[in-house]
Amino acid sequence: MPDSILFDPGQTKLREQSKATLKKIAGILKTDISNEMVRIEGHTDSDPIQKQKDKYPSNWELSTARANSVLHYLVDECGISPTRVYVAGFGQFQPISDNKTKAGKAQNRRVEFVIISGGG
């Protein structure tokens, strides 16, 4: 999911508009793949943290904090079992597009859900 759906720029608090989408994902996790582990991955572009450097010294911390926000919403508000989910923060180190353009950076700022078959 692109970060623009989930978060305001540079933030880790979920946007209200994103919660309906996350509820739909939770429904799928509860029914279609109810026994699988889910890794929630945070990714960023390559721009260094500027405004909240005291809170997020690097993109690793920002990407992990965003993934944690999604995890907590799924567990606390949607009833996903905490034994089925975990987070990973990759910062800018797994881009899917070129960080030299605005469009590329937008694609790299994302949260991904990885389904782990076999429970781990």
Side-chain angles (χ1 to χ4, degrees), residues 9-98:
Q11 300 300 309
T12 59
K13 181 180 176 189
L14 289 170
R15 299 175 78 206
E16 283 301 314
Q17 305 92 306
S18 71
K19 293 179 180 179
T21 302
L22 290 174
K23 283 181 183 179
K24 288 179 186 177
I25 291 171
I28 294 167
L29 295 177
K30 286 180 179 179
T31 57
D32 296 346
I33 49 174
S34 60
N35 294 318
E36 308 296 343
M37 292 291 295
V38 180
R39 182 174 62 233
I40 302 165
E41 298 181 351
H43 300 269
T44 67
D45 61 29
S46 61
D47 289 349
I49 304 293
Q50 292 182 8
K51 291 185 179 180
Q52 295 194 52
K53 194 149 180 76
D54 58 325
K55 192 170 186 180
Y56 308 111
S58 75
N59 282 321
W60 269 320
E61 286 85 5
L62 177 61
S63 66
T64 304
R66 286 181 166 185
N68 271 315
S69 291
V70 171
L71 176 140
H72 281 285
Y73 185 76
L74 292 175
V75 170
D76 300 342
E77 302 297 325
C78 299
I80 298 297
S81 172
T83 63
R84 292 187 54 215
V85 292
Y86 64 102
V87 299
F90 291 100
Q92 72 268 25
F93 298 107
Q94 289 192 0
I96 57 172
S97 191
D98 191 339

Coordinates of all heavy atoms in Angstrom, one line a residue, residues 9-98:
P9 N 2.5 13.0 5.1 CA 3.9 13.0 4.9 C 4.7 13.1 6.2 O 4.4 13.9 7.1 CB 4.1 14.3 4.1 CG 2.9 14.5 3.4 CD 1.8 14.0 4.3
G10 N 5.7 12.2 6.4 CA 6.6 12.2 7.5 C 6.0 11.8 8.8 O 6.6 11.9 9.9
Q11 N 4.7 11.3 8.8 CA 4.0 10.9 10.0 C 3.9 9.4 10.1 O 4.0 8.7 9.2 CB 2.6 11.5 10.0 CG 2.7 13.1 9.9 CD 3.4 13.7 11.1 OE1 3.1 13.4 12.3 NE2 4.3 14.6 10.8
T12 N 3.6 8.9 11.4 CA 3.4 7.5 11.6 C 2.0 7.2 12.1 O 1.6 6.1 12.3 CB 4.4 7.0 12.6 OG1 4.2 7.7 13.9 CG2 5.8 7.1 12.1
K13 N 1.2 8.3 12.4 CA -0.2 8.1 12.8 C -1.1 7.8 11.6 O -1.0 8.5 10.6 CB -0.7 9.4 13.5 CG -2.1 9.2 14.0 CD -2.6 10.5 14.7 CE -4.0 10.3 15.1 NZ -4.6 11.6 15.6
L14 N -1.9 6.8 11.7 CA -2.7 6.4 10.5 C -3.7 7.5 10.2 O -4.3 8.1 11.1 CB -3.5 5.1 10.8 CG -2.6 3.8 10.9 CD1 -3.5 2.7 11.4 CD2 -2.1 3.5 9.5
R15 N -3.9 7.7 8.9 CA -5.0 8.6 8.5 C -6.3 8.0 8.7 O -6.5 6.8 8.6 CB -4.8 9.0 7.0 CG -3.5 9.6 6.7 CD -3.3 9.8 5.2 NE -4.1 11.0 4.8 CZ -4.6 11.2 3.6 NH1 -4.3 10.3 2.7 NH2 -5.3 12.2 3.3
E16 N -7.3 8.7 9.1 CA -8.7 8.2 9.3 C -9.2 7.5 8.1 O -9.8 6.4 8.2 CB -9.6 9.3 9.7 CG -9.5 9.7 11.2 CD -9.7 8.6 12.2 OE1 -10.6 7.8 12.1 OE2 -8.9 8.5 13.1
Q17 N -8.9 8.0 6.9 CA -9.4 7.4 5.7 C -8.8 6.1 5.4 O -9.3 5.3 4.7 CB -9.0 8.3 4.5 CG -9.5 9.8 4.6 CD -8.5 10.7 5.2 OE1 -7.9 10.5 6.3 NE2 -8.2 11.8 4.5
S18 N -7.6 5.8 6.0 CA -7.0 4.5 5.7 C -7.6 3.3 6.5 O -7.4 2.2 6.1 CB -5.5 4.6 6.1 OG -5.3 4.7 7.5
K19 N -8.3 3.6 7.5 CA -8.8 2.6 8.4 C -9.8 1.7 7.8 O -9.9 0.5 8.0 CB -9.4 3.2 9.7 CG -8.2 3.9 10.5 CD -8.7 4.5 11.8 CE -7.5 5.1 12.5 NZ -7.9 5.8 13.7
A20 N -10.6 2.2 6.8 CA -11.6 1.3 6.1 C -10.9 0.3 5.3 O -11.3 -0.9 5.2 CB -12.5 2.2 5.3
T21 N -9.8 0.7 4.6 CA -9.0 -0.2 3.8 C -8.3 -1.3 4.7 O -8.3 -2.4 4.4 CB -7.9 0.6 3.0 OG1 -8.6 1.6 2.2 CG2 -7.1 -0.3 2.2
L22 N -7.8 -0.8 5.8 CA -7.2 -1.8 6.7 C -8.2 -2.8 7.3 O -7.9 -3.9 7.5 CB -6.4 -1.1 7.8 CG -5.1 -0.4 7.4 CD1 -4.5 0.5 8.5 CD2 -4.1 -1.3 6.8
K23 N -9.4 -2.3 7.5 CA -10.5 -3.2 8.0 C -10.8 -4.3 7.0 O -11.0 -5.5 7.3 CB -11.7 -2.5 8.4 CG -11.6 -1.8 9.7 CD -12.9 -1.0 10.0 CE -12.7 -0.3 11.4 NZ -13.9 0.5 11.8
K24 N -10.7 -3.9 5.7 CA -11.0 -4.9 4.6 C -9.8 -5.9 4.6 O -10.1 -7.1 4.4 CB -11.1 -4.2 3.3 CG -12.4 -3.4 3.1 CD -12.4 -2.7 1.8 CE -13.6 -1.8 1.7 NZ -13.7 -1.1 0.4
I25 N -8.6 -5.4 4.8 CA -7.5 -6.4 4.8 C -7.6 -7.3 6.0 O -7.3 -8.5 5.9 CB -6.1 -5.6 4.8 CG1 -5.9 -4.9 3.5 CG2 -5.0 -6.5 5.2 CD1 -4.8 -3.9 3.4
A26 N -8.0 -6.8 7.1 CA -8.2 -7.6 8.3 C -9.2 -8.7 8.1 O -9.1 -9.8 8.5 CB -8.6 -6.7 9.5
G27 N -10.3 -8.3 7.3 CA -11.3 -9.3 7.0 C -10.7 -10.5 6.2 O -11.1 -11.6 6.4
I28 N -9.9 -10.1 5.2 CA -9.2 -11.2 4.4 C -8.3 -12.0 5.3 O -8.3 -13.2 5.2 CB -8.5 -10.5 3.3 CG1 -9.5 -9.9 2.3 CG2 -7.6 -11.5 2.5 CD1 -8.8 -8.9 1.3
L29 N -7.6 -11.4 6.2 CA -6.7 -12.1 7.0 C -7.4 -13.0 8.0 O -6.9 -14.1 8.3 CB -5.8 -11.1 7.8 CG -4.8 -10.2 7.1 CD1 -4.1 -9.3 8.0 CD2 -3.8 -11.1 6.3
K30 N -8.6 -12.6 8.4 CA -9.4 -13.5 9.3 C -10.1 -14.6 8.6 O -10.3 -15.7 9.2 CB -10.5 -12.6 10.0 CG -9.9 -11.7 11.0 CD -11.1 -10.9 11.6 CE -10.6 -10.0 12.7 NZ -11.8 -9.2 13.2
T31 N -10.4 -14.5 7.3 CA -11.2 -15.5 6.6 C -10.4 -16.3 5.6 O -10.3 -17.5 5.8 CB -12.4 -14.9 5.9 OG1 -12.0 -13.9 5.0 CG2 -13.4 -14.3 6.9
D32 N -9.8 -15.7 4.7 CA -9.2 -16.4 3.5 C -7.8 -17.0 3.9 O -7.4 -18.0 3.4 CB -9.0 -15.4 2.3 CG -10.3 -15.0 1.8 OD1 -11.3 -15.6 2.1 OD2 -10.3 -14.0 1.0
I33 N -7.1 -16.3 4.8 CA -5.8 -16.8 5.2 C -5.6 -16.8 6.7 O -4.7 -16.2 7.3 CB -4.7 -16.0 4.5 CG1 -4.9 -14.5 4.6 CG2 -4.5 -16.4 3.1 CD1 -3.7 -13.7 4.1
S34 N -6.6 -17.4 7.4 CA -6.7 -17.2 8.8 C -5.6 -18.0 9.6 O -5.5 -17.7 10.8 CB -8.1 -17.7 9.3 OG -8.3 -19.1 9.0
N35 N -4.9 -18.8 9.0 CA -3.8 -19.6 9.7 C -2.4 -19.2 9.4 O -1.5 -19.8 9.9 CB -4.0 -21.1 9.5 CG -5.3 -21.6 10.1 OD1 -5.7 -21.2 11.2 ND2 -6.0 -22.4 9.4
E36 N -2.2 -18.2 8.5 CA -0.9 -17.8 8.1 C -0.3 -16.7 8.9 O -1.1 -15.8 9.4 CB -1.0 -17.4 6.6 CG -1.6 -18.4 5.7 CD -0.9 -19.8 5.6 OE1 0.3 -19.9 6.0 OE2 -1.6 -20.7 5.1
M37 N 1.0 -16.6 9.0 CA 1.7 -15.5 9.6 C 1.7 -14.4 8.6 O 1.7 -14.6 7.4 CB 3.1 -15.9 9.9 CG 3.2 -16.9 11.0 SD 2.8 -16.2 12.7 CE 4.0 -15.0 12.9
V38 N 1.8 -13.1 9.1 CA 1.8 -12.0 8.2 C 2.9 -11.0 8.7 O 2.9 -10.6 9.9 CB 0.4 -11.2 8.3 CG1 0.5 -10.0 7.4 CG2 -0.7 -12.1 7.9
R39 N 3.8 -10.7 7.8 CA 4.9 -9.7 8.1 C 4.4 -8.4 7.5 O 4.1 -8.3 6.3 CB 6.2 -10.2 7.5 CG 7.3 -9.2 7.8 CD 8.7 -9.7 7.3 NE 8.7 -9.9 5.9 CZ 9.1 -11.0 5.3 NH1 9.5 -12.1 6.0 NH2 9.1 -11.1 4.0
I40 N 4.4 -7.4 8.3 CA 4.0 -6.1 7.8 C 5.3 -5.3 7.7 O 6.1 -5.0 8.6 CB 3.1 -5.4 8.8 CG1 1.8 -6.2 9.1 CG2 2.8 -4.0 8.4 CD1 1.0 -5.8 10.3
E41 N 5.7 -5.0 6.4 CA 6.9 -4.3 6.1 C 6.8 -2.8 5.8 O 5.9 -2.4 5.0 CB 7.5 -5.0 4.8 CG 7.8 -6.4 5.0 CD 8.4 -7.0 3.7 OE1 8.5 -6.4 2.7 OE2 8.9 -8.2 3.8
G42 N 7.6 -2.1 6.4 CA 7.7 -0.6 6.2 C 8.8 -0.3 5.2 O 9.9 -0.9 5.4
H43 N 8.6 0.6 4.3 CA 9.6 1.0 3.3 C 9.5 2.5 3.2 O 8.5 3.1 3.3 CB 9.4 0.4 2.0 CG 9.4 -1.1 2.0 ND1 10.6 -1.8 1.8 CD2 8.5 -2.0 2.2 CE1 10.3 -3.1 1.8 NE2 9.0 -3.3 2.1
T44 N 10.7 3.2 2.9 CA 10.7 4.6 2.6 C 11.4 4.9 1.3 O 12.0 4.0 0.7 CB 11.5 5.3 3.8 OG1 12.8 5.0 3.7 CG2 10.9 5.0 5.1
D45 N 11.4 6.2 1.0 CA 12.3 6.6 -0.1 C 13.7 6.9 0.5 O 13.9 6.6 1.6 CB 11.7 7.8 -0.9 CG 11.6 9.0 0.1 OD1 12.3 9.2 1.0 OD2 10.7 9.9 -0.2
S46 N 14.6 7.4 -0.3 CA 16.0 7.6 0.1 C 16.2 9.0 0.7 O 17.3 9.3 1.2 CB 16.9 7.4 -1.1 OG 16.7 8.3 -2.1
D47 N 15.2 9.8 0.8 CA 15.4 11.2 1.4 C 15.7 11.0 2.9 O 15.0 10.3 3.6 CB 14.1 12.0 1.2 CG 13.9 12.5 -0.2 OD1 14.8 12.3 -1.0 OD2 12.8 13.0 -0.5
P48 N 16.7 11.7 3.4 CA 17.0 11.6 4.8 C 15.9 12.3 5.6 O 15.2 13.2 5.2 CB 18.3 12.4 4.9 CG 18.5 13.1 3.7 CD 17.6 12.5 2.6
I49 N 15.7 11.8 6.8 CA 14.8 12.4 7.8 C 15.3 13.8 8.1 O 16.5 14.0 8.4 CB 14.7 11.6 9.1 CG1 14.3 10.1 8.8 CG2 13.7 12.2 10.1 CD1 13.0 9.9 8.2
Q50 N 14.3 14.8 8.1 CA 14.7 16.2 8.4 C 13.9 16.7 9.6 O 14.5 17.1 10.6 CB 14.6 17.1 7.2 CG 15.6 16.7 6.1 CD 15.5 17.6 4.9 OE1 14.8 18.6 4.9 NE2 16.3 17.3 3.9
K51 N 12.6 16.7 9.5 CA 11.8 17.4 10.5 C 11.7 16.7 11.8 O 11.6 17.3 12.8 CB 10.3 17.6 9.9 CG 10.3 18.6 8.8 CD 8.8 18.8 8.4 CE 8.8 19.8 7.2 NZ 7.4 20.1 6.8
Q52 N 11.7 15.4 11.8 CA 11.6 14.6 13.1 C 12.8 13.8 13.4 O 12.7 12.6 13.9 CB 10.4 13.8 13.0 CG 9.1 14.6 13.0 CD 7.9 13.7 13.3 OE1 7.8 13.0 14.3 NE2 6.9 13.8 12.4
K53 N 14.0 14.3 13.1 CA 15.2 13.5 13.2 C 15.5 13.1 14.7 O 16.1 12.0 14.9 CB 16.4 14.3 12.7 CG 17.7 13.5 12.6 CD 18.5 14.0 11.4 CE 19.8 13.2 11.2 NZ 19.5 11.9 10.6
D54 N 15.0 13.9 15.6 CA 15.1 13.5 17.0 C 14.3 12.2 17.4 O 14.6 11.4 18.2 CB 14.7 14.6 18.0 CG 13.3 15.1 17.8 OD1 12.8 15.1 16.6 OD2 12.7 15.5 18.7
K55 N 13.2 12.1 16.7 CA 12.3 10.9 16.9 C 12.6 9.7 16.0 O 12.5 8.6 16.4 CB 10.8 11.4 16.6 CG 9.8 10.4 17.1 CD 8.4 11.0 17.0 CE 7.4 10.1 17.6 NZ 6.0 10.6 17.6
Y56 N 13.0 10.0 14.8 CA 13.4 9.0 13.8 C 14.7 9.3 13.2 O 14.9 10.1 12.2 CB 12.3 8.9 12.6 CG 10.9 8.8 13.2 CD1 10.0 9.8 13.1 CD2 10.5 7.6 13.8 CE1 8.7 9.7 13.5 CE2 9.2 7.5 14.3 CZ 8.3 8.6 14.2 OH 7.1 8.4 14.7
P57 N 15.8 8.8 13.8 CA 17.2 9.2 13.4 C 17.5 8.8 11.9 O 18.3 9.3 11.3 CB 18.1 8.4 14.4 CG 17.2 8.1 15.5 CD 15.8 8.0 15.0
S58 N 16.7 7.7 11.4 CA 17.0 7.3 10.1 C 15.7 6.8 9.5 O 14.7 6.6 10.2 CB 18.1 6.2 10.0 OG 17.5 5.0 10.5
N59 N 15.7 6.4 8.2 CA 14.5 5.9 7.6 C 14.2 4.5 8.1 O 13.0 4.1 8.0 CB 14.7 5.8 6.0 CG 14.5 7.2 5.4 OD1 13.7 7.9 5.8 ND2 15.4 7.5 4.4
W60 N 15.1 3.8 8.7 CA 14.8 2.5 9.3 C 13.8 2.7 10.5 O 12.8 2.0 10.5 CB 16.1 1.9 9.9 CG 16.8 1.0 9.0 CD1 16.2 0.1 8.1 CD2 18.2 0.8 8.9 NE1 17.2 -0.6 7.5 CE2 18.4 -0.2 7.9 CE3 19.2 1.4 9.5 CZ2 19.7 -0.6 7.6 CZ3 20.5 1.0 9.2 CH2 20.7 0.1 8.2
E61 N 14.0 3.7 11.3 CA 13.1 3.9 12.4 C 11.7 4.4 11.9 O 10.7 3.9 12.4 CB 13.6 5.0 13.4 CG 14.8 4.5 14.3 CD 16.1 4.5 13.6 OE1 16.3 5.1 12.5 OE2 17.1 4.1 14.3
L62 N 11.7 5.2 10.9 CA 10.4 5.7 10.3 C 9.7 4.5 9.7 O 8.5 4.4 9.9 CB 10.7 6.8 9.3 CG 9.4 7.3 8.6 CD1 8.4 7.9 9.6 CD2 9.8 8.3 7.5
S63 N 10.4 3.7 8.9 CA 9.7 2.6 8.2 C 9.1 1.6 9.3 O 8.0 1.1 9.1 CB 10.6 1.9 7.2 OG 11.7 1.3 7.9
T64 N 9.9 1.4 10.3 CA 9.4 0.4 11.3 C 8.3 1.0 12.1 O 7.3 0.3 12.5 CB 10.6 0.1 12.3 OG1 11.7 -0.5 11.5 CG2 10.2 -1.0 13.3
A65 N 8.3 2.3 12.4 CA 7.2 2.9 13.2 C 5.9 2.9 12.4 O 4.9 2.6 12.9 CB 7.6 4.4 13.5
R66 N 6.0 3.1 11.1 CA 4.8 3.0 10.2 C 4.3 1.6 10.2 O 3.1 1.4 10.3 CB 5.1 3.5 8.8 CG 5.3 5.0 8.8 CD 5.5 5.5 7.4 NE 5.3 7.0 7.4 CZ 5.4 7.7 6.3 NH1 5.6 7.1 5.1 NH2 5.1 9.0 6.3
A67 N 5.1 0.6 10.1 CA 4.7 -0.8 10.1 C 4.0 -1.1 11.4 O 3.0 -1.8 11.5 CB 5.9 -1.7 9.8
N68 N 4.6 -0.6 12.5 CA 4.0 -0.8 13.8 C 2.7 -0.2 14.0 O 1.8 -0.8 14.6 CB 5.0 -0.3 14.9 CG 6.0 -1.4 15.4 OD1 5.6 -2.5 15.6 ND2 7.2 -1.0 15.5
S69 N 2.5 1.0 13.4 CA 1.2 1.6 13.5 C 0.1 0.7 12.8 O -1.0 0.6 13.3 CB 1.2 3.0 12.8 OG 2.0 3.9 13.5
V70 N 0.5 0.1 11.7 CA -0.5 -0.8 11.0 C -0.7 -2.0 11.8 O -1.9 -2.4 12.0 CB 0.1 -1.1 9.6 CG1 -0.8 -2.2 8.9 CG2 0.1 0.1 8.7
L71 N 0.3 -2.6 12.3 CA 0.2 -3.8 13.2 C -0.7 -3.5 14.4 O -1.7 -4.3 14.6 CB 1.6 -4.2 13.7 CG 1.5 -5.4 14.7 CD1 2.7 -6.4 14.4 CD2 1.6 -5.0 16.1
H72 N -0.5 -2.4 15.1 CA -1.3 -2.1 16.2 C -2.8 -1.9 15.8 O -3.7 -2.3 16.6 CB -0.8 -0.9 17.0 CG 0.4 -1.3 17.9 ND1 0.2 -2.0 19.1 CD2 1.7 -1.1 17.7 CE1 1.4 -2.2 19.6 NE2 2.3 -1.6 18.8
Y73 N -3.1 -1.3 14.7 CA -4.4 -1.1 14.3 C -5.1 -2.5 14.0 O -6.2 -2.7 14.4 CB -4.5 -0.2 13.1 CG -6.0 0.1 12.7 CD1 -6.7 1.0 13.5 CD2 -6.6 -0.6 11.7 CE1 -8.1 1.2 13.2 CE2 -7.9 -0.4 11.4 CZ -8.6 0.5 12.1 OH -10.0 0.7 11.8
L74 N -4.4 -3.3 13.3 CA -4.9 -4.6 12.9 C -5.2 -5.5 14.2 O -6.2 -6.1 14.3 CB -4.0 -5.4 12.0 CG -3.9 -4.8 10.6 CD1 -2.8 -5.5 9.8 CD2 -5.2 -4.8 9.9
V75 N -4.3 -5.4 15.2 CA -4.4 -6.2 16.4 C -5.5 -5.5 17.3 O -6.4 -6.2 17.8 CB -3.1 -6.4 17.1 CG1 -3.2 -7.0 18.5 CG2 -2.2 -7.2 16.2
D76 N -5.3 -4.3 17.6 CA -6.1 -3.6 18.6 C -7.5 -3.3 18.2 O -8.4 -3.3 19.0 CB -5.4 -2.3 19.1 CG -4.0 -2.5 19.7 OD1 -3.7 -3.7 20.1 OD2 -3.2 -1.6 19.7
E77 N -7.7 -2.9 16.9 CA -9.0 -2.5 16.5 C -9.7 -3.5 15.6 O -10.9 -3.4 15.5 CB -8.8 -1.2 15.7 CG -8.2 0.0 16.5 CD -9.0 0.4 17.7 OE1 -10.2 0.3 17.6 OE2 -8.4 0.7 18.7
C78 N -9.0 -4.4 15.0 CA -9.6 -5.3 14.0 C -9.6 -6.7 14.5 O -10.1 -7.6 13.8 CB -8.9 -5.2 12.7 SG -9.0 -3.6 11.9
G79 N -8.9 -7.0 15.6 CA -9.0 -8.3 16.2 C -8.1 -9.4 15.6 O -8.3 -10.6 15.8
I80 N -7.1 -9.0 14.9 CA -6.1 -9.9 14.4 C -5.3 -10.4 15.5 O -4.8 -9.6 16.4 CB -5.2 -9.3 13.3 CG1 -6.0 -8.8 12.1 CG2 -4.1 -10.2 12.9 CD1 -6.7 -9.9 11.4
S81 N -5.0 -11.7 15.6 CA -4.2 -12.3 16.7 C -2.8 -11.8 16.7 O -2.2 -11.8 15.6 CB -4.2 -13.8 16.6 OG -3.3 -14.3 17.6
P82 N -2.3 -11.3 17.8 CA -0.9 -10.8 17.8 C 0.1 -11.9 17.6 O 1.3 -11.6 17.3 CB -0.8 -10.2 19.2 CG -1.9 -10.8 20.0 CD -3.0 -11.1 19.1
T83 N -0.3 -13.2 17.7 CA 0.6 -14.3 17.4 C 0.8 -14.5 15.9 O 1.7 -15.3 15.6 CB 0.1 -15.6 18.1 OG1 -1.2 -15.9 17.5 CG2 -0.1 -15.4 19.6
R84 N 0.1 -13.8 15.1 CA 0.1 -14.0 13.7 C 0.9 -12.9 12.9 O 1.1 -13.0 11.7 CB -1.3 -14.1 13.1 CG -2.1 -15.3 13.5 CD -3.4 -15.4 12.7 NE -3.2 -15.3 11.3 CZ -4.0 -14.7 10.4 NH1 -5.1 -14.1 10.9 NH2 -3.7 -14.7 9.2
V85 N 1.2 -11.8 13.6 CA 1.7 -10.7 12.8 C 3.1 -10.2 13.5 O 3.3 -10.3 14.7 CB 0.7 -9.5 12.8 CG1 -0.5 -9.8 11.9 CG2 0.3 -9.1 14.2
Y86 N 3.9 -9.7 12.6 CA 5.1 -9.0 13.1 C 5.6 -8.0 12.1 O 5.1 -8.0 10.9 CB 6.2 -10.0 13.4 CG 6.8 -10.8 12.2 CD1 8.0 -10.5 11.6 CD2 6.0 -11.9 11.7 CE1 8.5 -11.3 10.5 CE2 6.5 -12.7 10.7 CZ 7.7 -12.4 10.1 OH 8.2 -13.1 9.0
V87 N 6.5 -7.1 12.4 CA 6.9 -6.1 11.5 C 8.4 -6.2 11.1 O 9.2 -6.8 11.8 CB 6.7 -4.7 12.2 CG1 5.3 -4.4 12.5 CG2 7.6 -4.5 13.4
A88 N 8.7 -5.6 10.0 CA 10.0 -5.4 9.6 C 10.1 -4.0 9.0 O 9.2 -3.6 8.2 CB 10.4 -6.5 8.5
G89 N 11.2 -3.3 9.3 CA 11.5 -2.0 8.7 C 12.7 -2.1 7.8 O 13.8 -2.4 8.2
F90 N 12.5 -1.7 6.5 CA 13.6 -1.8 5.6 C 14.2 -0.4 5.2 O 15.1 -0.3 4.4 CB 13.1 -2.5 4.3 CG 12.9 -4.0 4.5 CD1 11.6 -4.5 4.7 CD2 14.0 -4.9 4.6 CE1 11.4 -5.8 4.9 CE2 13.8 -6.2 4.8 CZ 12.5 -6.7 5.0
G91 N 13.6 0.7 5.7 CA 14.0 2.0 5.3 C 14.0 2.1 3.8 O 13.1 1.7 3.2
Q92 N 15.1 2.7 3.3 CA 15.2 2.9 1.8 C 15.9 1.8 1.1 O 16.2 1.9 -0.1 CB 15.9 4.3 1.6 CG 17.4 4.2 1.8 CD 17.8 4.7 3.2 OE1 17.0 4.6 4.2 NE2 19.0 5.1 3.4
F93 N 16.2 0.7 1.7 CA 17.1 -0.3 1.2 C 16.5 -1.4 0.3 O 17.2 -2.2 -0.2 CB 17.9 -0.9 2.3 CG 18.8 0.1 3.0 CD1 18.4 0.6 4.3 CD2 19.8 0.7 2.3 CE1 19.2 1.6 4.9 CE2 20.6 1.7 2.9 CZ 20.3 2.1 4.2
Q94 N 15.2 -1.3 0.1 CA 14.5 -2.2 -0.8 C 13.6 -1.5 -1.8 O 12.4 -1.7 -1.8 CB 13.8 -3.3 -0.1 CG 14.7 -4.3 0.6 CD 14.0 -5.6 1.0 OE1 12.8 -5.7 0.9 NE2 14.7 -6.5 1.6
P95 N 14.1 -0.5 -2.5 CA 13.3 0.3 -3.4 C 12.7 -0.6 -4.6 O 13.3 -1.6 -5.0 CB 14.2 1.3 -4.0 CG 15.6 0.6 -4.0 CD 15.5 -0.2 -2.7
I96 N 11.5 -0.2 -5.0 CA 10.9 -0.9 -6.2 C 10.9 0.1 -7.4 O 10.5 -0.3 -8.5 CB 9.4 -1.3 -5.9 CG1 8.6 -0.1 -5.4 CG2 9.4 -2.4 -4.8 CD1 7.1 -0.5 -5.3
S97 N 11.4 1.3 -7.2 CA 11.5 2.3 -8.2 C 12.7 3.1 -8.0 O 13.3 3.1 -6.9 CB 10.2 3.1 -8.3 OG 10.2 3.9 -9.5
D98 N 13.0 4.0 -9.0 CA 14.1 4.9 -8.9 C 13.8 6.0 -7.9 O 12.8 6.7 -8.0 CB 14.4 5.4 -10.3 CG 15.8 6.2 -10.4 OD1 16.3 6.6 -9.3 OD2 16.3 6.3 -11.5

